[in-house]
Amino acid sequence: MSEPIRPIQRPVQRPVQFYYRGEIRQAQGLPNTRTVLQHLREDLHCTGTKEGCAEGDCGACTVVLGELHDGRLELKTVNSCIQFLPTLDGRALFTVEDLKQSDGCLHPVQQAMVECHGSQCGFCTPGFVMSLWGLYLKHDQDGIAPSKREIDDALSGNLCRCTGYRPIIDAARRMGQLPSVEFDREQVAQALRGIQREEPLAVTHNGQTFHAPRTLAQLAQLRSDLPQARILAGSTDVGLWVTKHMRDLGDIIYIGQVEELRRMQERDGFLEIGAGISLEQAYGELNKHYPQELSEMWQRFASMPVRNAGTLGGNVANGSPIGDSMPWLIALGAQIVLFSVDGRRTMPLEDFYIAYQKSALQPNEIVQAVRVPLPRAGVQFRVYKLSKRFDQDISAVCAAFAFTLDGGRVKEARMCYGGMAATPKRATQAEAVLNGKDWSEEQVRAAMAAMAQDYAPLSDMRATSAYRLRTAQNLLYRYWLETRAEAPLAADAVRAFAVAAA
């Protein structure tokens, strides 16, 4: 344990301030779980942004958020239907209403949708337009046409199919060919600098308080004082507790303003990822170290707006048995860093999960970071996702393997599966069959048989128990085909989605 630290400032009650449509807005006297979408449509009467699913899936509610990071304006698409209004504090909000030009003309993104016939009934169009505008801003200064993967990624969170995707993809290509429209980043950044605050935020409504600490010390003290408060990161899971389950969250502690949780650094053979780092940022950095192994998982993990909002720390803390990050993190031997007023402690991620929705997190602790091992000589790492759709779908089975192979023998076998048990779980019986043995088809088939002792998966709407066990076994065989000493198969020879991902 490190030495305990103490807070410097207490929260200050004040209105939520954010930049919208050229001016600073204030919001107060509203429920802390009022969503950004509700505020837009019901309070500001800006109804261009639509509500479809109210759970961050369909993309009809897509907006773009802007925030300062290291003095620069960063822009990202998110689902406004599951983002709580107080999280806008100190940030900028852009909706389809912002795209109207001063001369009344359409923005190139909108004009391209018209020219390419990318809209049919029109309900989903504002969401598509905002996703494409986010992509447009990514290249408006460099003039580089977006790649097929960038277009697919940008549209992965917009699920309407009434027009078909081809004309919308055509519009994504066409928008950069039209006369460009400049976006004044510095004007927005200047406005945001004027509403940045060093003191933590507290917003109270009907006796319940939304806390937004600014430092790790403040966060730790709040957690100690309010152990029953709900920790909020990206709201991609907790938001649904309100919009779908109608739950009362009570006091909320939001970690999105804690700068110490938004850092990544390499140290002692690990990449340490702060709990406030978005999934998109985390996977982007990890992909630099594991470009072949994590590229497809990065693309297939949820959608761009969900990855922009959700955090790797939140995904890990949630501990869902069907979460896609935990299997490969555990297989690699990742660690989780926990923090409280008493200090910091680190443990193997696999030891963090005790039972279904139960972890080793103490009432006064928060997740500070995830430590991911960097590539090591001799370790063959793979991760596979089985689901009914390529994009934005929950896994039936997620499998990860990180074997240390030495001269045709298995020095150490580490395999972990999601969707097979109440928690992400290693296949210890199968590992035991392989450890110290030849990396051969005979041993692999023996390990496949042993997996029946490791798992007794459930049947649900995504897959039957028998399907899960069989495919889990087959994924081990696929891993062997790719890593065997003689004539290993190339990845594109065994990937069902090789063409789709190209």
Side-chain angles (χ1 to χ4, degrees):
M1 287 285 191
S2 58
E3 290 295 318
I5 57 178
R6 293 291 178 254
I8 302 170
Q9 293 176 293
R10 304 298 295 179
V12 175
Q13 292 277 345
R14 60 175 174 80
V16 173
Q17 294 182 299
F18 61 99
Y19 177 90
Y20 179 54
R21 302 196 72 181
E23 62 183 60
I24 301 301
R25 309 271 180 149
Q26 291 191 347
Q28 56 186 333
L30 298 170
N32 295 328
T33 55
R34 190 163 186 77
T35 66
V36 172
L37 178 63
Q38 289 170 332
H39 186 58
L40 283 170
R41 294 182 60 82
E42 299 173 19
D43 302 327
L44 302 182
H45 306 295
C46 294
T47 55
T49 308
K50 307 304 181 185
E51 179 176 351
C53 65
E55 58 186 49
D57 277 338
C58 75
C61 70
T62 303
V63 298
V64 171
L65 291 186
E67 62 181 325
L68 294 176
H69 190 61
D70 293 332
R72 292 187 311 107
L73 180 67
E74 293 185 350
L75 298 158
K76 59 185 181 181
T77 53
V78 300
N79 300 115
S80 63
C81 69
I82 52 175
Q83 294 297 312
F84 298 146
L85 180 60
T87 65
L88 285 183
D89 191 60
R91 293 176 170 143
L93 172 65
F94 301 95
T95 66
V96 71
E97 283 89 353
D98 290 285
L99 270 62
K100 182 179 179 180
Q101 303 304 296
S102 57
D103 60 1
C105 292
L106 295 176
H107 187 277
V109 173
Q110 297 167 309
Q111 185 63 40
M113 287 284 280
V114 172
E115 292 182 9
C116 297
H117 308 287
S119 179
Q120 189 163 319
C121 81
F123 185 84
C124 65
T125 303
F128 273 104
V129 164
M130 294 310 294
S131 291
L132 290 176
W133 188 61
L135 180 60
Y136 184 89
L137 293 178
K138 184 177 179 180
H139 291 295
D140 67 333
Q141 295 177 314
D142 59 29
I144 299 174
S147 66
K148 180 181 185 300
R149 173 158 178 171
E150 284 182 307
I151 294 171
D152 290 345
D153 283 355
L155 298 177
S156 61
N158 300 89
L159 296 186
C160 182
R161 299 290 196 277
C162 65
T163 308
Y165 265 22
R166 199 223 64 217
I168 299 172
I169 291 172
D170 290 344
R173 297 188 177 111
R174 174 65 176 151
M175 64 186 186
Q177 300 167 359
L178 296 171
S180 63
V181 169
E182 183 180 351
F183 175 67
D184 193 342
R185 288 171 168 78
E186 183 52 36
Q187 177 187 343
V188 178
Q190 181 90 15
L192 292 185
R193 291 185 192 108
I195 58 173
Q196 300 306 300
R197 299 289 182 266
E198 293 186 1
E199 72 274 6
L201 172 71
V203 180
T204 300
H205 183 268
N206 286 346
Q208 298 176 343
T209 303
F210 181 101
H211 297 273
R214 300 302 301 264
T215 69
L216 186 60
Q218 294 163 1
L219 173 59
Q221 189 61 53
L222 273 170
R223 190 55 170 161
S224 179
D225 295 343
L226 302 169
Q228 301 305 315
R230 177 60 55 192
I231 297 291
L232 179 70
S235 198
T236 55
D237 186 31
V238 174
L240 275 67
W241 298 359
V242 174
T243 62
K244 292 299 180 181
H245 300 168
M246 310 302 172
R247 286 171 58 175
D248 184 349
L249 299 187
D251 290 332
I252 295 172
I253 302 175
Y254 176 56
I255 71 167
Q257 299 286 358
V258 180
E259 194 60 36
E260 293 105 313
L261 299 185
R262 302 174 68 183
R263 298 172 183 165
M264 283 190 286
Q265 60 180 329
E266 293 183 25
R267 184 168 57 184
D268 304 326
F270 289 83
L271 177 64
E272 188 166 305
I273 302 171
I277 294 288
S278 73
L279 285 159
E280 180 65 13
Q281 291 173 303
Y283 271 89
E285 187 64 28
L286 286 161
N287 192 66
K288 296 177 184 177
H289 298 283
Y290 296 103
Q292 301 303 318
E293 298 88 347
L294 285 178
S295 178
E296 183 178 311
M297 177 57 76
W298 177 19
Q299 185 178 18
R300 297 184 63 195
F301 191 109
S303 65
M304 179 68 78
V306 169
R307 294 198 305 268
N308 281 337
T311 67
L312 184 64
N315 190 234
V316 165
N318 176 288
S320 168
I322 51 174
D324 285 338
S325 295
M326 287 75 80
W328 64 261
L329 286 169
I330 290 173
L332 281 177
Q335 300 171 351
I336 188 168
V337 181
L338 309 177
F339 191 83
S340 72
V341 291
D342 299 318
R344 163 175 165 145
R345 68 184 178 115
T346 302
M347 67 168 61
L349 182 59
E350 62 196 274
D351 295 340
F352 181 68
Y353 304 112
I354 297 172
Y356 179 67
Q357 294 191 334
K358 184 177 181 181
S359 73
L361 191 71
Q362 297 300 308
N364 70 333
E365 287 182 320
I366 55 97
V367 175
Q368 181 183 358
V370 179
R371 304 184 77 231
V372 184
L374 296 172
R376 294 154 289 172
V379 176
Q380 292 279 0
F381 171 49
R382 299 287 191 281
V383 56
Y384 308 116
K385 175 185 173 98
L386 293 182
S387 61
K388 294 179 180 179
R389 292 197 308 263
F390 181 84
D391 287 313
Q392 199 181 355
D393 199 6
I394 295 173
S395 292
V397 175
C398 183
F401 307 92
F403 286 20
T404 304
L405 303 177
D406 184 13
R409 293 179 69 84
V410 180
K411 188 174 180 180
E412 182 185 17
R414 292 183 64 92
M415 64 178 87
C416 185
Y417 286 83
M420 298 290 289
T423 64
K425 183 176 179 290
R426 285 178 64 179
T428 53
Q429 297 291 331
E431 289 175 353
V433 171
L434 293 168
N435 280 324
K437 304 295 193 335
D438 289 337
W439 188 223
S440 65
E441 182 169 6
E442 179 183 2
Q443 288 302 127
V444 169
R445 292 200 177 277
M448 291 167 63
M451 288 177 65
Q453 302 173 48
D454 284 308
Y455 302 111
L458 299 175
S459 295
D460 60 20
M461 64 186 297
R462 280 178 287 277
T464 64
S465 174
Y467 174 87
R468 283 192 161 105
L469 182 58
R470 174 60 63 87
T471 53
Q473 293 168 327
N474 288 347
L475 287 172
L476 174 57
Y477 189 76
R478 170 180 170 176
Y479 174 68
W480 175 74
L481 290 174
E482 292 185 29
T483 59
R484 62 189 178 184
E486 295 184 10
L489 295 181
D492 59 2
V494 289
R495 287 173 59 209
F497 290 120
V499 175

